[in-house]
Amino acid sequence: MEHENYTFSSDFILLGLFSSSQTSQVFFSFIFFIFIMTITENALMILLIHSESRLHTPMYFLLSHLSFMDILHISNIVPKMIADYLSGSRTISFAGCGLQIFLSLTLLGGECLLLAAMSYDRYVAICHPLRYPVLMRDNTSSLLAAGAWLVGILNSIVHTSFALHFPFCHSRAIDHFFCEVPAMLKLSCVDTSHYERGVYVSGIIFLLIPFSVISISYVQILLTVFQMQSSGARQKSLSTCSFHMVVVIMYYGPFIFTYMRPRSYHTPGQDKFLAIFYTILTPTLNPIIYSFRNKDVLAAMKNIIQNTFLNKK
């Protein structure tokens, strides 16, 4: 078949997560609630960080970027799912699918690098507190955040261009709830093995290396914590590290399993289940684990609430 005979501009069909069953209605309500909760949590986090001077530190600066990425990421996926469920239409245009891939890869890749930068910040703060003002100056955190965005965007441009360049000559029904590269590759009728090797390389850069950096940072943090004299400080640090690592594993684990397996090992049900973790659940948990359990954030919230009531009076 000639290359010109392939159709590049036809709409795709997202088979999604929901059907018309009663169980799907409950699941739809749960996803809708999670979406509203995620937007509210992360928007509140950004507001707190920018309005409270006590939160104008490198750690919270990076957290504000994480919250912004989480808002964009879940907004890139869930509103389309909700609209499709309510309207009964599951089509998505070629351009719309490309935009979903581009935003998803930008934010997923950027967040991987940002989480590694945040773990480095915690490592310096706990293991080298006297050098923290030098190693984590304001311009350092700005460069780390800008680097995460820039590298994520560049990586996404390359992968989006390649993923949409392949001819799709079979069914255009994507068995997923959003346009994701592994699901798209299943529709291609040409050999994509060379491109998949490029995906593995990106997986090493954006997944394995950042995850290794995070793991090493937290191991060093734990070794430092165990040397602390105060049992209370030890217990608090261990609790914080444990929660952080649970969220990191929930994010990186399914992400690695999805993007670093050969195409032949992918099953639609498994891919959709794994994608829920790094596209919907972790954006909801991030502000709770990284921020709202922190006494500085709670104090900032209390301060804003008190100021609001005083201004009304």
Side-chain angles (χ1 to χ4, degrees):
M1 187 178 290
E2 292 297 320
H3 186 73
E4 299 87 28
N5 291 337
Y6 294 120
T7 303
F8 287 91
S9 59
S10 299
D11 291 347
F12 293 98
I13 299 170
L14 290 172
L15 299 184
L17 284 172
F18 312 118
S19 64
S20 57
S21 67
Q22 190 70 29
T23 305
S24 291
Q25 292 177 17
V26 174
F27 190 42
F28 166 78
S29 301
F30 173 73
I31 294 294
F32 182 76
F33 171 76
I34 288 292
F35 173 69
I36 298 299
M37 183 178 172
T38 302
I39 297 295
T40 304
E41 286 176 349
N42 286 287
L44 178 59
M45 195 65 245
I46 293 171
L47 175 65
L48 285 173
I49 291 171
H50 284 275
S51 61
E52 281 293 310
S53 58
R54 76 180 73 189
L55 301 182
H56 292 173
T57 64
M59 179 182 72
Y60 290 110
F61 176 78
L62 294 174
L63 274 171
S64 69
H65 280 269
L66 180 68
S67 290
F68 186 54
M69 284 183 177
D70 284 338
I71 288 174
L72 291 179
H73 197 192
I74 200 166
S75 298
N76 179 44
I77 295 169
V78 174
K80 173 63 177 170
M81 293 169 60
I82 293 171
D84 287 353
Y85 180 79
L86 295 176
S87 66
S89 171
R90 297 186 177 186
T91 60
I92 183 169
S93 67
F94 185 85
C97 200
L99 181 62
Q100 269 201 340
I101 293 174
F102 172 74
L103 288 175
S104 180
L105 289 177
T106 296
L107 298 165
L108 285 171
E111 190 160 326
C112 284
L113 299 177
L114 196 63
L115 288 170
M118 288 166 58
S119 72
Y120 171 74
D121 173 87
R122 292 298 82 207
Y123 161 73
V124 175
I126 295 174
C127 299
H128 303 284
L130 298 178
R131 298 176 63 193
Y132 184 82
V134 177
L135 295 175
M136 286 301 296
R137 294 188 295 267
D138 290 341
N139 63 334
T140 303
S141 57
S142 298
L143 286 172
L144 289 172
W149 280 102
L150 180 60
V151 177
I153 289 170
L154 293 175
N155 175 71
S156 183
I157 289 172
V158 172
H159 283 288
T160 303
S161 301
F162 272 100
L164 295 180
H165 173 74
F166 291 119
F168 304 105
C169 53
H170 298 313
S171 167
R172 302 184 76 85
I174 303 172
D175 199 352
H176 212 311
F177 57 86
F178 72 105
C179 292
E180 189 172 34
V181 170
M184 297 280 291
L185 292 181
K186 282 183 169 290
L187 304 183
S188 179
C189 52
V190 297
D191 183 18
T192 61
S193 58
H194 290 293
Y195 170 69
E196 288 180 54
R197 293 191 191 100
V199 174
Y200 298 148
V201 173
S202 289
I204 293 171
I205 296 170
F206 286 90
L207 294 172
L208 296 185
I209 292 177
F211 184 71
S212 299
V213 169
I214 293 170
S215 300
I216 292 169
S217 296
Y218 277 104
V219 167
Q220 292 296 320
I221 289 170
L222 289 174
L223 291 174
T224 302
V225 165
F226 285 135
Q227 296 173 5
M228 291 181 177
Q229 299 296 323
S230 170
S231 59
R234 253 199 325 268
Q235 197 169 24
K236 181 182 175 182
S237 299
L238 283 172
S239 173
T240 300
C241 289
S242 299
F243 279 110
H244 285 191
M245 283 308 298
V246 166
V247 174
V248 165
I249 290 170
M250 279 182 61
Y251 182 76
Y252 280 92
F255 199 4
I256 290 171
F257 201 63
T258 298
Y259 278 84
M260 300 199 71
R261 281 181 303 157
R263 184 176 62 167
S264 58
Y265 286 88
H266 286 258
T267 60
Q270 191 178 69
D271 284 353
K272 286 189 278 190
F273 174 74
L274 292 172
I276 289 173
F277 283 92
Y278 55 83
T279 60
I280 297 175
L281 292 182
T282 51
T284 310
L285 293 174
N286 280 338
I288 297 173
I289 299 302
Y290 286 106
S291 307
F292 293 136
R293 296 176 66 253
N294 188 294
K295 64 179 182 180
D296 291 331
V297 173
L298 295 176
M301 287 180 65
K302 183 179 178 181
N303 189 37
I304 286 181
I305 293 170
Q306 286 177 343
N307 289 339
T308 302
F309 280 111
L310 287 173
N311 290 335
K312 285 184 178 179
K313 291 180 180 180

PDB file of all heavy atoms in Angstrom, residues 167-182:
ATOM      1  N   PRO A 167       1.593   6.025   9.987  1.00  0.00           N
ATOM      2  CA  PRO A 167       0.289   5.841   9.338  1.00  0.00           C
ATOM      3  C   PRO A 167      -0.597   4.898  10.149  1.00  0.00           C
ATOM      4  O   PRO A 167      -0.132   3.879  10.668  1.00  0.00           O
ATOM      5  CB  PRO A 167       0.661   5.213   7.991  1.00  0.00           C
ATOM      6  CG  PRO A 167       1.979   4.548   8.233  1.00  0.00           C
ATOM      7  CD  PRO A 167       2.697   5.371   9.264  1.00  0.00           C
ATOM      8  N   PHE A 168      -1.871   5.251  10.269  1.00  0.00           N
ATOM      9  CA  PHE A 168      -2.834   4.438  11.011  1.00  0.00           C
ATOM     10  C   PHE A 168      -3.832   3.878  10.005  1.00  0.00           C
ATOM     11  O   PHE A 168      -4.792   4.536   9.615  1.00  0.00           O
ATOM     12  CB  PHE A 168      -3.556   5.284  12.062  1.00  0.00           C
ATOM     13  CG  PHE A 168      -2.621   5.965  13.028  1.00  0.00           C
ATOM     14  CD1 PHE A 168      -2.367   7.321  12.925  1.00  0.00           C
ATOM     15  CD2 PHE A 168      -1.991   5.251  14.032  1.00  0.00           C
ATOM     16  CE1 PHE A 168      -1.510   7.958  13.807  1.00  0.00           C
ATOM     17  CE2 PHE A 168      -1.123   5.874  14.917  1.00  0.00           C
ATOM     18  CZ  PHE A 168      -0.882   7.230  14.795  1.00  0.00           C
ATOM     19  N   CYS A 169      -3.580   2.653   9.580  1.00  0.00           N
ATOM     20  CA  CYS A 169      -4.403   2.082   8.519  1.00  0.00           C
ATOM     21  C   CYS A 169      -5.369   1.022   9.034  1.00  0.00           C
ATOM     22  O   CYS A 169      -6.106   0.437   8.258  1.00  0.00           O
ATOM     23  CB  CYS A 169      -3.520   1.491   7.427  1.00  0.00           C
ATOM     24  SG  CYS A 169      -2.288   0.328   8.031  1.00  0.00           S
ATOM     25  N   HIS A 170      -5.373   0.764  10.325  1.00  0.00           N
ATOM     26  CA  HIS A 170      -6.327  -0.181  10.896  1.00  0.00           C
ATOM     27  C   HIS A 170      -7.423   0.601  11.597  1.00  0.00           C
ATOM     28  O   HIS A 170      -7.690   1.748  11.263  1.00  0.00           O
ATOM     29  CB  HIS A 170      -5.618  -1.126  11.870  1.00  0.00           C
ATOM     30  CG  HIS A 170      -4.563  -1.968  11.218  1.00  0.00           C
ATOM     31  ND1 HIS A 170      -4.785  -2.650  10.038  1.00  0.00           N
ATOM     32  CD2 HIS A 170      -3.272  -2.233  11.577  1.00  0.00           C
ATOM     33  CE1 HIS A 170      -3.682  -3.302   9.702  1.00  0.00           C
ATOM     34  NE2 HIS A 170      -2.748  -3.057  10.613  1.00  0.00           N
ATOM     35  N   SER A 171      -8.062  -0.002  12.556  1.00  0.00           N
ATOM     36  CA  SER A 171      -9.099   0.678  13.334  1.00  0.00           C
ATOM     37  C   SER A 171      -8.520   1.916  14.009  1.00  0.00           C
ATOM     38  O   SER A 171      -7.388   1.918  14.484  1.00  0.00           O
ATOM     39  CB  SER A 171      -9.644  -0.274  14.403  1.00  0.00           C
ATOM     40  OG  SER A 171     -10.423   0.435  15.337  1.00  0.00           O
ATOM     41  N   ARG A 172      -9.312   2.987  14.068  1.00  0.00           N
ATOM     42  CA  ARG A 172      -8.884   4.213  14.713  1.00  0.00           C
ATOM     43  C   ARG A 172      -9.476   4.316  16.122  1.00  0.00           C
ATOM     44  O   ARG A 172      -9.535   5.406  16.703  1.00  0.00           O
ATOM     45  CB  ARG A 172      -9.277   5.427  13.870  1.00  0.00           C
ATOM     46  CG  ARG A 172      -8.682   5.365  12.458  1.00  0.00           C
ATOM     47  CD  ARG A 172      -8.989   6.614  11.664  1.00  0.00           C
ATOM     48  NE  ARG A 172      -8.163   7.724  12.065  1.00  0.00           N
ATOM     49  CZ  ARG A 172      -6.946   7.963  11.595  1.00  0.00           C
ATOM     50  NH1 ARG A 172      -6.374   7.123  10.734  1.00  0.00           N
ATOM     51  NH2 ARG A 172      -6.260   9.021  11.978  1.00  0.00           N
ATOM     52  N   ALA A 173      -9.880   3.181  16.672  1.00  0.00           N
ATOM     53  CA  ALA A 173     -10.420   3.144  18.035  1.00  0.00           C
ATOM     54  C   ALA A 173      -9.277   2.909  19.019  1.00  0.00           C
ATOM     55  O   ALA A 173      -8.632   1.860  18.999  1.00  0.00           O
ATOM     56  CB  ALA A 173     -11.464   2.041  18.167  1.00  0.00           C
ATOM     57  N   ILE A 174      -9.015   3.889  19.860  1.00  0.00           N
ATOM     58  CA  ILE A 174      -7.950   3.810  20.851  1.00  0.00           C
ATOM     59  C   ILE A 174      -8.539   3.246  22.142  1.00  0.00           C
ATOM     60  O   ILE A 174      -9.408   3.879  22.754  1.00  0.00           O
ATOM     61  CB  ILE A 174      -7.331   5.198  21.120  1.00  0.00           C
ATOM     62  CG1 ILE A 174      -6.812   5.811  19.825  1.00  0.00           C
ATOM     63  CG2 ILE A 174      -6.215   5.106  22.154  1.00  0.00           C
ATOM     64  CD1 ILE A 174      -6.370   7.265  19.972  1.00  0.00           C
ATOM     65  N   ASP A 175      -8.079   2.083  22.543  1.00  0.00           N
ATOM     66  CA  ASP A 175      -8.619   1.440  23.752  1.00  0.00           C
ATOM     67  C   ASP A 175      -7.954   2.045  24.984  1.00  0.00           C
ATOM     68  O   ASP A 175      -7.145   1.414  25.671  1.00  0.00           O
ATOM     69  CB  ASP A 175      -8.392  -0.073  23.694  1.00  0.00           C
ATOM     70  CG  ASP A 175      -9.323  -0.814  24.649  1.00  0.00           C
ATOM     71  OD1 ASP A 175     -10.014  -0.145  25.445  1.00  0.00           O
ATOM     72  OD2 ASP A 175      -9.371  -2.051  24.587  1.00  0.00           O
ATOM     73  N   HIS A 176      -8.300   3.280  25.255  1.00  0.00           N
ATOM     74  CA  HIS A 176      -7.722   4.018  26.373  1.00  0.00           C
ATOM     75  C   HIS A 176      -8.661   5.174  26.696  1.00  0.00           C
ATOM     76  O   HIS A 176      -9.613   5.437  25.955  1.00  0.00           O
ATOM     77  CB  HIS A 176      -6.341   4.554  25.998  1.00  0.00           C
ATOM     78  CG  HIS A 176      -5.384   4.623  27.164  1.00  0.00           C
ATOM     79  ND1 HIS A 176      -5.702   5.187  28.365  1.00  0.00           N
ATOM     80  CD2 HIS A 176      -4.095   4.199  27.295  1.00  0.00           C
ATOM     81  CE1 HIS A 176      -4.673   5.112  29.187  1.00  0.00           C
ATOM     82  NE2 HIS A 176      -3.667   4.506  28.560  1.00  0.00           N
ATOM     83  N   PHE A 177      -8.390   5.880  27.825  1.00  0.00           N
ATOM     84  CA  PHE A 177      -9.246   7.029  28.154  1.00  0.00           C
ATOM     85  C   PHE A 177      -8.612   8.354  27.736  1.00  0.00           C
ATOM     86  O   PHE A 177      -9.199   9.419  27.939  1.00  0.00           O
ATOM     87  CB  PHE A 177      -9.628   7.034  29.643  1.00  0.00           C
ATOM     88  CG  PHE A 177      -8.470   7.032  30.605  1.00  0.00           C
ATOM     89  CD1 PHE A 177      -7.869   8.216  30.998  1.00  0.00           C
ATOM     90  CD2 PHE A 177      -7.993   5.835  31.141  1.00  0.00           C
ATOM     91  CE1 PHE A 177      -6.811   8.211  31.895  1.00  0.00           C
ATOM     92  CE2 PHE A 177      -6.944   5.827  32.047  1.00  0.00           C
ATOM     93  CZ  PHE A 177      -6.346   7.023  32.428  1.00  0.00           C
ATOM     94  N   PHE A 178      -7.407   8.319  27.157  1.00  0.00           N
ATOM     95  CA  PHE A 178      -6.824   9.495  26.530  1.00  0.00           C
ATOM     96  C   PHE A 178      -5.799   9.026  25.504  1.00  0.00           C
ATOM     97  O   PHE A 178      -5.444   7.849  25.449  1.00  0.00           O
ATOM     98  CB  PHE A 178      -6.195  10.443  27.567  1.00  0.00           C
ATOM     99  CG  PHE A 178      -4.913   9.943  28.190  1.00  0.00           C
ATOM    100  CD1 PHE A 178      -3.694  10.477  27.829  1.00  0.00           C
ATOM    101  CD2 PHE A 178      -4.922   8.953  29.173  1.00  0.00           C
ATOM    102  CE1 PHE A 178      -2.504  10.049  28.409  1.00  0.00           C
ATOM    103  CE2 PHE A 178      -3.749   8.508  29.768  1.00  0.00           C
ATOM    104  CZ  PHE A 178      -2.538   9.052  29.379  1.00  0.00           C
ATOM    105  N   CYS A 179      -5.351   9.955  24.661  1.00  0.00           N
ATOM    106  CA  CYS A 179      -4.375   9.597  23.637  1.00  0.00           C
ATOM    107  C   CYS A 179      -3.006   9.455  24.287  1.00  0.00           C
ATOM    108  O   CYS A 179      -2.383  10.456  24.667  1.00  0.00           O
ATOM    109  CB  CYS A 179      -4.335  10.678  22.558  1.00  0.00           C
ATOM    110  SG  CYS A 179      -5.831  10.777  21.561  1.00  0.00           S
ATOM    111  N   GLU A 180      -2.532   8.226  24.410  1.00  0.00           N
ATOM    112  CA  GLU A 180      -1.227   7.944  24.999  1.00  0.00           C
ATOM    113  C   GLU A 180      -0.407   7.170  23.986  1.00  0.00           C
ATOM    114  O   GLU A 180      -0.942   6.310  23.269  1.00  0.00           O
ATOM    115  CB  GLU A 180      -1.371   7.173  26.304  1.00  0.00           C
ATOM    116  CG  GLU A 180      -0.059   7.048  27.061  1.00  0.00           C
ATOM    117  CD  GLU A 180      -0.244   6.438  28.447  1.00  0.00           C
ATOM    118  OE1 GLU A 180      -1.115   5.577  28.621  1.00  0.00           O
ATOM    119  OE2 GLU A 180       0.525   6.815  29.343  1.00  0.00           O
ATOM    120  N   VAL A 181       0.875   7.431  23.931  1.00  0.00           N
ATOM    121  CA  VAL A 181       1.743   6.883  22.882  1.00  0.00           C
ATOM    122  C   VAL A 181       1.663   5.356  22.771  1.00  0.00           C
ATOM    123  O   VAL A 181       1.465   4.830  21.669  1.00  0.00           O
ATOM    124  CB  VAL A 181       3.199   7.351  23.081  1.00  0.00           C
ATOM    125  CG1 VAL A 181       4.143   6.590  22.155  1.00  0.00           C
ATOM    126  CG2 VAL A 181       3.315   8.851  22.815  1.00  0.00           C
ATOM    127  N   PRO A 182       1.811   4.573  23.866  1.00  0.00           N
ATOM    128  CA  PRO A 182       1.746   3.113  23.697  1.00  0.00           C
ATOM    129  C   PRO A 182       0.440   2.630  23.085  1.00  0.00           C
ATOM    130  O   PRO A 182       0.439   1.701  22.269  1.00  0.00           O
ATOM    131  CB  PRO A 182       1.899   2.597  25.145  1.00  0.00           C
ATOM    132  CG  PRO A 182       2.655   3.671  25.848  1.00  0.00           C
ATOM    133  CD  PRO A 182       2.147   4.948  25.247  1.00  0.00           C
TER     134      PRO A 182
END
